[in-house]
Short mmCIF file of all heavy atoms in Angstrom, two decimals:
data_model
loop_
_atom_site.label_atom_id
_atom_site.label_comp_id
_atom_site.label_asym_id
_atom_site.label_seq_id
_atom_site.Cartn_x
_atom_site.Cartn_y
_atom_site.Cartn_z
N GLN A 138 108.12 77.86 112.60
CA GLN A 138 106.88 77.78 111.78
C GLN A 138 106.95 76.69 110.72
O GLN A 138 105.99 76.04 110.47
CB GLN A 138 106.56 79.10 111.12
CG GLN A 138 105.26 79.16 110.42
CD GLN A 138 104.78 80.53 110.02
OE1 GLN A 138 105.29 81.62 110.51
NE2 GLN A 138 103.90 80.60 109.10
N ALA A 141 106.26 73.50 112.65
CA ALA A 141 104.83 73.44 113.04
C ALA A 141 103.95 73.09 111.83
O ALA A 141 102.91 72.34 112.02
CB ALA A 141 104.37 74.74 113.62
N GLN A 142 104.31 73.59 110.67
CA GLN A 142 103.50 73.33 109.47
C GLN A 142 103.86 72.01 108.75
O GLN A 142 103.00 71.53 108.04
CB GLN A 142 103.61 74.50 108.53
CG GLN A 142 102.96 75.73 108.98
CD GLN A 142 102.87 76.82 107.94
OE1 GLN A 142 103.50 77.89 108.16
NE2 GLN A 142 102.23 76.55 106.81
N THR A 143 105.03 71.51 108.96
CA THR A 143 105.45 70.34 108.08
C THR A 143 105.82 69.10 108.87
O THR A 143 105.83 68.02 108.30
CB THR A 143 106.64 70.69 107.20
OG1 THR A 143 107.79 71.09 107.99
CG2 THR A 143 106.28 71.94 106.30
N PRO A 158 103.78 83.99 105.78
CA PRO A 158 102.48 83.79 105.18
C PRO A 158 102.18 82.31 104.99
O PRO A 158 103.16 81.50 104.80
CB PRO A 158 102.57 84.46 103.81
CG PRO A 158 103.74 85.41 103.93
CD PRO A 158 104.69 84.83 104.88
N ILE A 159 100.96 81.92 104.96
CA ILE A 159 100.57 80.51 104.71
C ILE A 159 100.05 80.34 103.29
O ILE A 159 99.58 79.29 102.89
CB ILE A 159 99.56 79.97 105.78
CG1 ILE A 159 98.34 80.83 105.77
CG2 ILE A 159 100.23 79.83 107.08
CD1 ILE A 159 97.22 80.22 106.62
N SER A 160 100.22 81.37 102.45
CA SER A 160 99.95 81.26 101.01
C SER A 160 100.99 82.11 100.31
O SER A 160 101.61 82.97 100.90
CB SER A 160 98.53 81.74 100.76
OG SER A 160 98.35 83.11 101.10
N SER A 164 105.50 80.73 101.53
CA SER A 164 104.73 79.83 102.38
C SER A 164 105.39 78.44 102.48
O SER A 164 106.00 77.99 101.55
CB SER A 164 103.30 79.73 101.87
OG SER A 164 102.63 78.71 102.51
N PHE A 165 105.16 77.82 103.65
CA PHE A 165 105.50 76.42 103.83
C PHE A 165 104.39 75.53 103.48
O PHE A 165 104.42 74.36 103.72
CB PHE A 165 105.95 76.18 105.27
CG PHE A 165 107.13 76.97 105.76
CD1 PHE A 165 107.07 77.83 106.78
CD2 PHE A 165 108.33 76.89 105.06
CE1 PHE A 165 108.09 78.56 107.25
CE2 PHE A 165 109.47 77.66 105.45
CZ PHE A 165 109.36 78.51 106.55
N GLY A 166 103.28 76.16 103.02
CA GLY A 166 102.05 75.40 102.67
C GLY A 166 100.93 75.88 103.65
O GLY A 166 101.10 76.73 104.44
N PRO A 167 99.81 75.20 103.49
CA PRO A 167 98.67 75.58 104.39
C PRO A 167 98.93 75.19 105.83
O PRO A 167 99.82 74.31 106.12
CB PRO A 167 97.54 74.73 103.84
CG PRO A 167 98.18 73.56 103.21
CD PRO A 167 99.47 74.01 102.69
N TRP A 168 98.22 75.84 106.77
CA TRP A 168 98.41 75.51 108.21
C TRP A 168 97.69 74.18 108.43
O TRP A 168 96.63 73.90 108.03
CB TRP A 168 97.73 76.60 109.04
CG TRP A 168 98.27 76.48 110.45
CD1 TRP A 168 97.60 75.86 111.44
CD2 TRP A 168 99.47 77.02 110.96
NE1 TRP A 168 98.40 75.93 112.61
CE2 TRP A 168 99.54 76.66 112.33
CE3 TRP A 168 100.50 77.76 110.40
CZ2 TRP A 168 100.56 76.99 113.13
CZ3 TRP A 168 101.57 78.13 111.24
CH2 TRP A 168 101.63 77.70 112.59
N PRO A 169 98.38 73.28 109.13
CA PRO A 169 97.79 71.92 109.43
C PRO A 169 96.61 72.02 110.38
O PRO A 169 96.63 72.75 111.34
CB PRO A 169 98.94 71.16 110.01
CG PRO A 169 99.90 72.15 110.52
CD PRO A 169 99.73 73.39 109.72
N ASP A 170 95.62 71.18 110.11
CA ASP A 170 94.44 71.06 110.96
C ASP A 170 94.88 70.63 112.40
O ASP A 170 95.74 69.79 112.55
CB ASP A 170 93.44 70.06 110.48
CG ASP A 170 92.76 70.54 109.18
OD1 ASP A 170 92.78 71.74 108.93
OD2 ASP A 170 92.26 69.71 108.46
N GLU A 196 96.36 86.72 108.24
CA GLU A 196 95.93 85.66 107.36
C GLU A 196 95.76 84.37 108.12
O GLU A 196 94.79 83.68 107.94
CB GLU A 196 96.89 85.49 106.20
CG GLU A 196 96.58 84.39 105.31
CD GLU A 196 97.66 83.94 104.29
OE1 GLU A 196 98.83 84.34 104.47
OE2 GLU A 196 97.33 83.33 103.31
N ILE A 197 96.72 84.06 109.02
CA ILE A 197 96.61 82.82 109.74
C ILE A 197 95.38 82.90 110.67
O ILE A 197 94.66 81.93 110.79
CB ILE A 197 97.96 82.60 110.58
CG1 ILE A 197 99.02 82.26 109.60
CG2 ILE A 197 97.75 81.49 111.63
CD1 ILE A 197 100.46 82.10 110.31
N LYS A 200 92.22 82.22 108.74
CA LYS A 200 92.04 80.95 108.13
C LYS A 200 92.21 79.72 109.00
O LYS A 200 91.82 78.60 108.64
CB LYS A 200 93.03 80.81 106.95
CG LYS A 200 92.76 81.78 105.80
CD LYS A 200 93.75 81.59 104.67
CE LYS A 200 93.37 82.56 103.52
NZ LYS A 200 94.36 82.41 102.47
N VAL A 201 92.82 79.92 110.14
CA VAL A 201 93.12 78.79 111.11
C VAL A 201 92.07 78.84 112.29
O VAL A 201 91.96 79.91 112.92
CB VAL A 201 94.59 78.87 111.60
CG1 VAL A 201 94.87 77.76 112.61
CG2 VAL A 201 95.49 78.70 110.36
#
Side-chain angles (χ1 to χ4, degrees):
Q138 189 169 337
Q142 288 187 244
T143 63
I159 56 172
S160 62
S164 171
F165 300 120
W168 197 265
D170 290 338
E196 177 191 17
I197 290 174
K200 294 181 178 177
V201 175

